[in-house]
Amino acid sequence: MTDRAPGRWPVDQPVALDEGVHSVDTPDADELYVQRAAEKALHEMVLDSIRHDLEQQPSPLTVLTAARNWCTRITAAAEEIAREKRKAA
């Protein structure tokens, strides 16, 4: 037994963190950028759609009512999806 606990310095055999660790399944920086941009675009489209719906409301009261309805529908969808994922797990 040594006097060093796992994870303590100095290590006997340091590992090179930046070489040889990429596998076929590991996306590169460009793929990650494109994926993030697509996710951001989808997020913006959804929010813009909700904003457009709210802007179409004729009065401040109906804007707030529509916003509450959106929140209720989103929460209901989230609960349903979470329930399905729990069943699948």
Side-chain angles (χ1 to χ4, degrees):
M1 185 102 184
T2 65
D3 56 23
R4 291 190 307 244
R8 295 203 34 209
W9 291 95
V11 295
D12 294 328
Q13 298 174 345
V15 176
L17 298 177
D18 58 350
E19 60 184 59
V21 295
H22 296 290
S23 69
V24 175
D25 296 334
T26 304
D28 63 358
D30 291 337
E31 291 172 344
L32 290 174
Y33 175 81
V34 169
Q35 179 183 354
R36 174 67 181 125
E39 290 171 359
K40 184 177 180 182
L42 178 61
H43 185 261
E44 291 298 320
M45 287 187 334
V46 170
L47 285 179
D48 286 345
S49 295
I50 294 171
R51 176 178 283 279
H52 176 75
D53 180 63
L54 295 175
E55 288 173 348
Q56 298 303 309
Q57 302 305 315
S59 71
L61 181 61
T62 58
V63 170
L64 294 174
T65 301
R68 288 185 188 102
N69 289 337
W70 275 111
C71 291
T72 301
R73 291 165 54 193
I74 292 169
T75 302
E79 289 171 352
E80 179 183 336
I81 292 167
R83 196 170 28 254
E84 290 172 4
K85 288 186 177 278
R86 282 189 205 106
K87 287 180 185 176

